[in-house]
Amino acid sequence: METGDPRNSVPPGRSGLFFGFVGAIGVVALAVSAGPLVALADRWSELPAAFWTMAALAVACDARPFVPPGRRQTSAVFPSTCFTFAILLGWGFGPAVAVQAVAVAVSGWRLGYAPWRTGFNAAQYACALAAAYAVTRLGPGELFGGGRLHWTDVAAVGGATLAWFVVNYGLVSSAVRLRFGDRWWPSVRSGLAYELLSTGSLLLLAPVLVAAARASAALIPLVLVPLFAVYRMARLSAEREQLADVDPLTGLPNRKALLTEVAEQVHLHGERAARGAPDAHLALLLLDLDRFKHVNDALGHAVGDRLLVEVSARLMGAVGTGDMVARLGGDEFAIVVPRLADIDQARERADRVVAALAEPVPLDGLPLDVGGAIGIALYPDHGEDFATLMRHADVAMYDAKHRNDTVAVYAPESDHNSAERLSLLADLRRVLESGPSAQGGETVGVRGGDGAALTPALPVRADRPARNQRPARDGGRRSGGGPNRWLRRRRERVEERHDDLIEQILTGADPIRRRAARSGGGPGAGPLVVGDAELAPAAETADADVSDDAEAAVSTGAPGVIGPTADGSTAAEPDDQAGHPGEITMYYQPQIAIATGEVVGVEALLRWRHPRRGMVDPGELIQVAEQSAVMRLLTRRVVDDVVEQLAKWSAAGLTLRAALNVSVRDLHTGEIADQIADRLARYGVPPERLQVEITEGALMADPRRVLASITQLHRIGVGIALDDFGTGYSSLQHLRRLPLSEVKVDRSFVLGMAEDPDDAAIVRSMIELAGALGLRVVAEGVEDERTWRMLHAAGCDVAQGWFHARPMPAEDLVAWLSRYRPVRPAEAGSRGGPVPEGESKASS
């Protein structure tokens, strides 16, 4: 924040044009004033006492003009304007210019103006008085002729007042524009209302003075009473306006003042950048104190207020003379640092603030620590207006808090609420609200996560779901039995065509079977499969592998590629309709019992193909959804798809356990248990076929509410698994109290256990701990045979990872199961071990 009056100096590079303008105005003022001033020498003795009274009051009042606080582009209010304009109306241009010049000299001396500024003020007033005098001369004759005020006199006075104001304000605004480069209209508009109220009132008081002077000179001093009232009202109004920009507790500027300061500094720094100045950067630092709420709660708000006052004083001592410190509210402060060369200087200023707050604040003999996190946004790199800089500084500040750091500079990758993410959230809501739907009365089957319907052998009308597919919630009494009887009847109908149904599914999904069927080789003519490796010639094996390019396209979400099909080729992405939000699907990754090689379950994984972004990263998808109520829609969709898929597999004779992830938001609401119970009953799926995975982070966010939700799920019969075990802060006490059936060792430990002895030791310890508590152990991220063997030796129960299979759509999983042959670790040495899809034996 600049100190002193900025109009006493001229910015570098603008002095030539500006002083040329000042000189031109001075020449015009001398030209129009020289003659009347010379003629005035013979009139001094003729001027009445009323003139001398007004002249004395004009000079005396300008010895103490009213300077509005905080205004940089509007002039001070000079009471002499009232008297000199009255002198102009009563005794002409010469006497008015002479008195105005003396008054300007006195006020300039009192206010400490630079000589050139005092001279320019005298010249501008001379030009304004000359314009007003010219308007009065256009009238029919002398004003107040015959002692009466005519309508022509009113018109002349009004015209003269307007002319004086337009010329005076126009010259001042032009000078400001030339010196600071402000745009013309914003500069004029910013101070126009204030000048009209203050200066306009003084000008309109002049005709009253003239009328009083014609009656008696003794009446003129009485005008000081209304002048004093105007002066006081203007000061009170300005003080009230200033208080609106000040925080009442600390005396620092508030958010409103900060907005004004940043807007002005952004404009000035934009000009510096246009000139190529090295100090054209502006930094906005946002500070949030740590543990301030604890101070309020423990010691009371009075102590908290004293702490904020002390922090304000320390901040003022830590910043530079040109910086601005503002309090935004609560324990949040902002610092504006102008004229920086780079981000390192902003960091240096932030480090000074951190050092100033490092020392404890002693209050009532108790030392209080007041550290904080600071976020930095730099103009123009991180934004070109107040709103953008403020938001980005806020993002950086929270980034520093999350990293347990003190200072952070804004980085786009830390901005989880960008416009792009908001758009992504809107598209996610649209795709969830639309959902898969049946058309009219068309016969449809149960739709699983792959979006495919059941075979027509199990017809279900969309408008009558309760008769065949979804039993009534009263336990099925209206249909003649409970859900178990309904399920038995449906299985009896399926058994007749069970073999044909399985053959149709496998032939449709497996390209090898399709080729064999077309060539007449029969359904069993496909090659033998060990793990994922087909025991077939290289030419045929290549068809089953997924190319690196196709896998890269799936991982990065490259447009135009859906990914590997069952035969290893890549399918082109269909053209999406304009504005279509894309498609939500479920992928499933097998979970293999290490000791037997049997597939014991799958984990359901969410996938979203966006029409513009391709495959959205699952982590980003969850992060976007968890910040809003969209997470509830997403969870409802996942539960529906997974339970329906289990019903589909049951109809096809496949018995698999499916695990799905739920977020902390779902566990806090408590609705997840009711929703899962409803879907299980509606589709006739046994509860033990479903498992819910929770993370340690969700558990620790609110253990009481989370425990209530998972206890309710446990009572239903749904299994509970603790995901990402080892990455959070859950204690053994939580493991003992929770109704868990399984823990999943995080892939970050499993991936490195073959090379890092510490990771291997951690994994073995987790397995032993879970085994002692009677919990099943699943290892995620199993990608090579050595890790697989080490997990078997450590006693791990289940493995999940690319060593066995990658996540795949439901129909591809059926094809994969038809090819899969269980392999035990003891047999792997003779049979080569399982090889993940898309990889050769050498790569594993």
Side-chain angles (χ1 to χ4, degrees):
M1 191 162 53
E2 299 178 41
T3 59
D5 195 328
R7 288 178 294 185
N8 273 337
S9 61
V10 180
R14 296 189 177 274
S15 57
L17 185 60
F18 172 73
F19 283 116
F21 175 77
V22 171
I25 297 302
V27 170
V28 173
L30 286 175
V32 298
S33 304
L37 288 175
V38 171
L40 183 61
D42 299 331
R43 296 181 55 195
W44 288 118
S45 59
E46 302 175 0
L47 294 173
F51 164 78
W52 294 106
T53 303
M54 289 187 188
L57 291 176
V59 175
C61 289
D62 268 16
R64 193 181 178 186
F66 173 58
V67 181
R71 292 187 176 272
R72 298 182 177 181
Q73 296 183 353
T74 56
S75 60
V77 178
F78 297 99
S80 64
T81 300
C82 171
F83 298 103
T84 56
F85 193 63
I87 293 172
L88 174 74
L89 297 178
W91 294 281
F93 177 60
V97 170
V99 174
Q100 187 70 74
V102 176
V104 167
V106 171
S107 63
W109 169 71
R110 288 281 296 170
L111 295 175
Y113 285 174
W116 63 263
R117 184 176 177 186
T118 301
F120 174 75
N121 286 346
Q124 83 185 43
Y125 283 123
C127 293
L129 289 170
Y133 183 70
V135 173
T136 62
R137 300 302 294 174
L138 296 177
E142 182 183 2
L143 294 176
F144 305 98
R148 299 182 60 186
L149 186 65
H150 304 282
W151 70 268
T152 54
D153 298 330
V154 175
V157 171
T161 301
L162 181 61
W164 190 101
F165 185 85
V166 169
V167 171
N168 183 77
Y169 192 65
L171 292 176
V172 173
S173 299
S174 300
V176 171
R177 179 194 181 198
L178 290 174
R179 284 191 316 132
F180 298 115
D182 289 346
R183 294 168 292 175
W184 175 256
W185 175 241
S187 176
V188 172
R189 183 180 57 184
S190 62
L192 183 58
Y194 183 83
E195 293 291 340
L196 280 172
L197 180 63
S198 58
T199 307
S201 300
L202 294 174
L203 291 173
L204 294 177
L205 192 58
V208 178
L209 276 175
V210 176
R214 291 190 180 275
S216 172
L219 297 176
I220 295 176
L222 297 179
V223 80
L224 293 178
V225 177
L227 274 180
F228 179 76
V230 171
Y231 180 86
R232 288 296 299 165
M233 290 179 62
R235 177 170 290 278
L236 290 174
S237 176
E239 290 176 353
R240 189 179 298 110
E241 182 179 350
Q242 186 180 24
L243 287 176
D245 294 337
V246 174
D247 173 56
L249 175 64
T250 62
L252 295 176
N254 59 14
R255 182 182 292 269
K256 178 183 175 184
L258 177 69
L259 190 155
T260 303
E261 175 73 11
V262 172
E264 182 173 344
Q265 290 292 348
V266 161
H267 183 65
L268 295 177
H269 283 72
E271 292 185 343
R272 292 191 183 103
R275 296 195 303 267
D279 58 346
H281 290 84
L282 171 73
L284 178 62
L285 280 60
L286 196 61
L287 166 66
D288 187 79
L289 301 181
D290 293 334
R291 300 174 298 277
F292 179 73
K293 184 178 183 298
H294 298 166
V295 175
N296 273 340
D297 294 342
L299 304 178
H301 288 274
V303 176
D305 290 346
R306 291 168 56 195
L307 178 62
L308 291 175
V309 173
E310 177 63 26
V311 168
S312 303
R314 291 194 180 189
L315 293 179
M316 291 297 296
V319 301
T321 56
D323 301 347
M324 176 185 187
V325 180
R327 182 185 175 218
L328 304 181
D331 59 347
E332 201 169 47
F333 296 83
I335 303 173
V336 181
V337 187
R339 300 192 177 187
L340 299 178
D342 51 33
I343 193 63
D344 292 336
Q345 292 185 351
R347 280 185 172 274
E348 184 271 336
R349 195 64 52 88
D351 291 338
R352 283 167 52 183
V353 172
V354 171
L357 299 179
E359 290 294 326
V361 177
L363 291 178
D364 297 335
L366 181 66
L368 301 177
D369 290 324
V370 289
I374 299 178
I376 302 176
L378 195 69
Y379 168 87
D381 301 358
H382 304 146
E384 298 184 353
D385 57 75
F386 172 79
T388 305
L389 289 172
M390 190 69 183
R391 190 176 71 82
H392 288 172
D394 191 62
V395 169
M397 184 264 292
Y398 278 105
D399 186 32
K401 281 185 174 292
H402 291 159
R403 294 191 285 107
N404 293 322
D405 203 351
T406 54
V407 179
V409 179
Y410 172 74
E413 56 269 20
S414 300
D415 192 351
H416 305 311
N417 296 302
S418 62
E420 182 181 1
R421 289 208 168 190
L422 291 177
S423 174
L424 193 66
L425 181 62
D427 289 343
L428 179 59
R429 178 181 288 275
R430 288 172 55 205
V431 72
L432 291 174
E433 288 178 345
S434 60
S437 59
Q439 301 293 330
E442 183 182 353
T443 300
V444 296
V446 177
R447 293 186 178 273
D450 56 354
L454 279 173
T455 174
L458 298 174
V460 181
R461 288 187 58 84
D463 57 347
R464 300 175 62 185
R467 172 167 292 184
N468 294 328
Q469 181 61 26
R470 300 179 179 179
R473 298 192 62 179
D474 60 358
R477 290 188 295 270
R478 294 183 180 181
S479 58
N484 292 336
R485 184 178 299 178
W486 166 83
L487 189 58
R488 286 197 302 270
R489 288 204 306 267
R490 190 176 68 172
R491 286 177 176 173
E492 289 172 1
R493 292 196 301 268
V494 172
E495 283 178 357
E496 299 177 0
R497 286 176 283 180
H498 181 270
D499 294 338
D500 293 339
L501 173 61
I502 294 295
E503 199 61 49
Q504 291 174 10
I505 294 176
L506 296 180
T507 303
D510 191 348
I512 299 174
R513 288 176 175 265
R514 288 202 303 269
R515 289 197 299 268
R518 287 195 298 268
S519 61
L528 179 63
V529 180
V530 178
D532 283 348
E534 297 178 354
L535 302 183
E540 289 192 9
T541 305
D543 285 340
D545 292 337
V546 181
S547 67
D548 293 337
D549 292 341
E551 183 61 25
V554 172
S555 301
T556 60
V561 177
I562 285 185
T565 59
D567 61 351
S569 62
T570 56
E573 180 181 6
D575 294 335
D576 290 282
Q577 298 178 356
H580 193 274
E583 180 184 4
I584 290 283
T585 56
M586 299 302 299
Y587 277 44
Y588 298 89
Q589 187 171 32
Q591 296 176 335
I592 312 297
I594 298 178
T596 64
E598 299 290 340
V599 179
V600 294
V602 294
E603 181 180 2
L605 303 170
L606 191 65
R607 296 293 184 266
W608 179 21
R609 179 167 299 282
H610 195 272
R612 296 184 307 275
R613 299 183 47 166
M615 290 293 270
V616 178
D617 179 75
E620 182 181 10
L621 191 157
I622 298 301
Q623 193 173 48
V624 168
E626 278 187 327
Q627 301 172 8
S628 71
V630 172
M631 192 67 220
R632 296 177 62 187
L633 297 176
L634 186 61
T635 301
R636 185 179 298 115
R637 175 68 174 272
V638 170
V639 171
D640 285 350
D641 282 0
V642 172
V643 175
E644 285 182 341
Q645 188 63 63
L646 287 173
K648 174 184 176 181
W649 284 333
S650 294
L654 299 178
T655 302
L656 291 174
R657 182 185 69 245
L660 59 88
N661 294 272
V662 295
S663 74
V664 61
R665 180 184 289 266
D666 301 319
L667 295 172
H668 282 180
T669 60
E671 298 176 0
I672 185 69
D674 294 336
Q675 180 186 351
I676 289 178
D678 176 75
R679 296 307 184 273
L680 291 174
R682 179 173 297 181
Y683 297 112
V685 176
E688 60 271 14
R689 296 278 301 281
L690 188 67
Q691 181 167 280
V692 170
E693 296 184 0
I694 62 173
T695 63
E696 290 190 60
L699 173 63
M700 297 304 297
D702 192 336
R704 183 182 59 82
R705 286 200 289 178
V706 170
L707 179 60
S709 296
I710 62 178
T711 300
Q712 188 176 356
L713 288 169
H714 177 68
R715 289 171 181 168
I716 296 172
V718 175
I720 308 296
L722 185 61
D723 198 7
D724 301 337
F725 183 55
T727 61
Y729 304 97
S730 60
S731 64
L732 299 181
Q733 180 73 6
H734 286 110
L735 289 180
R736 185 177 65 84
R737 292 176 54 196
L738 294 175
L740 299 176
S741 58
E742 175 180 290
V743 293
K744 301 188 72 174
V745 181
D746 188 69
R747 61 184 290 112
S748 61
F749 301 110
V750 177
L751 286 172
M753 65 180 298
E755 305 294 336
D756 190 337
D758 292 338
D759 283 347
I762 291 173
V763 172
R764 285 195 300 269
S765 299
M766 292 180 183
I767 295 173
E768 292 174 1
L769 173 62
L773 295 174
L775 302 177
R776 183 172 57 249
V777 182
V778 177
E780 296 181 299
V782 181
E783 297 190 357
D784 57 71
E785 182 178 345
R786 185 179 176 188
T787 302
W788 179 50
R789 291 181 179 278
M790 292 178 67
L791 289 170
H792 177 259
C796 185
D797 300 304
V798 179
Q800 175 182 340
W802 284 17
F803 179 63
H804 294 284
R806 298 171 180 175
M808 63 192 82
E811 70 273 16
D812 291 353
L813 177 66
V814 174
W816 180 86
L817 289 171
S818 70
R819 302 193 305 269
Y820 177 74
R821 298 294 183 271
V823 177
R824 299 175 178 83
E827 304 171 356
S830 60
R831 299 181 62 179
V835 179
E837 284 188 84
E839 297 183 9
S840 64
K841 175 63 179 170
S843 67
S844 64

